[in-house]
Amino acid sequence: MNSGLTAERVHDAIRAQILGRAYLPGTRLDPAQMAKELAASMTPVRDALHRLMGEGLVEARTGSGFHLPLLDEPSLIDLYRWSHELSLLALRHFTPEPPAPTPPTTLAERADALFDRIARGSDNGEHRRAMQQLAARLHAVRHVEPHALAGVDEELGGLEDGLTHPDRRRFLSLVGAYHRRRARAAGAILRALYRPQ
């Protein structure tokens, strides 16, 4: 098989495992075991793990290899703040974009799609790249938010409607409320995240 195709396949498979919550935050990732499971050599697995470090999904610890980053309350609050700030940056130059042709099926996917749509509406492509990286880092958290927060479905619906029928001031208020609510509930969200599945 072409080495470029193998590298992409391995990267995409490991990334999908991480986003699919196959590992809890803090888990040590064993490249040899992953290579065996993915029917690949160690080189593309290590390359994929290094790429995922660049995406903020994996970290390397001196002397103990690759791990998923641990997430604590201050770090999660920082991620929510960054999401809010990035959304506000993108909304400064926002032109509404149509929703994706394939509707997302989970609440986490809906949140990812909503903020991707905000970033796509910006005239600055860096907003979209930053938002996609942030969405990947928040994806597992977004899966468990409904266990810690009531009304997530309705809240996302209000934001989705706000993007379709923009009242700028009201929408900015909704985006701010969305992020503040999560920052206040960061401890409960983390307890849901670390609860065994």
Side-chain angles (χ1 to χ4, degrees):
M1 181 179 268
N2 180 311
S3 63
L5 293 175
T6 300
E8 279 307 306
R9 176 183 66 80
V10 168
H11 171 269
D12 293 348
I14 295 172
R15 191 175 193 277
Q17 289 173 344
I18 292 169
L19 294 184
R21 299 181 61 219
Y23 311 103
L24 283 174
T27 301
R28 183 180 179 282
L29 303 173
D30 180 356
Q33 182 61 35
M34 293 176 128
K36 185 176 176 184
E37 291 169 0
L38 296 169
S41 71
M42 290 282 286
T43 299
V45 171
R46 282 202 177 99
D47 289 347
L49 291 169
H50 283 288
R51 279 180 63 190
L52 292 164
M53 281 176 56
E55 296 173 30
L57 293 177
V58 170
E59 64 186 18
R61 297 184 191 162
T62 306
S64 63
F66 297 99
H67 294 257
L68 288 193
L70 277 172
L71 197 55
D72 60 14
E73 195 167 338
S75 301
L76 181 56
I77 290 170
D78 284 347
L79 287 175
Y80 284 132
R81 283 183 179 155
W82 174 227
S83 178
H84 186 202
E85 291 166 8
L86 187 54
S87 299
L88 295 179
L89 283 172
L91 287 164
R92 281 187 189 165
H93 308 282
F94 183 72
T95 303
E97 290 271 330
T102 307
T105 56
T106 68
L107 291 174
E109 289 170 355
R110 279 177 64 193
D112 291 349
L114 170 79
F115 290 101
D116 182 63
R117 197 168 156 208
I118 288 172
R120 275 190 293 128
S122 168
D123 60 2
N124 185 332
E126 290 301 321
H127 292 154
R128 184 156 193 219
R129 279 185 279 283
M131 192 70 83
Q132 287 173 334
Q133 185 179 39
L134 179 59
R137 293 178 68 195
L138 282 171
H139 192 75
V141 171
R142 286 176 172 163
H143 270 285
V144 300
E145 286 174 351
H147 300 289
L149 297 168
V152 172
D153 186 26
E154 294 79 10
E155 183 181 37
L156 286 172
L159 285 162
E160 290 161 344
D161 289 346
L163 267 183
T164 306
H165 307 98
D167 169 344
R168 186 171 174 78
R169 182 167 291 167
R170 181 173 184 281
F171 188 71
L172 290 172
S173 173
L174 290 173
V175 169
Y178 172 93
H179 290 97
R180 282 189 300 276
R181 188 163 92 105
R182 281 154 180 75
R184 282 192 306 269
I189 291 168
L190 285 172
R191 284 190 292 279
L193 179 65
Y194 287 108
R195 194 176 299 136
Q197 298 180 30

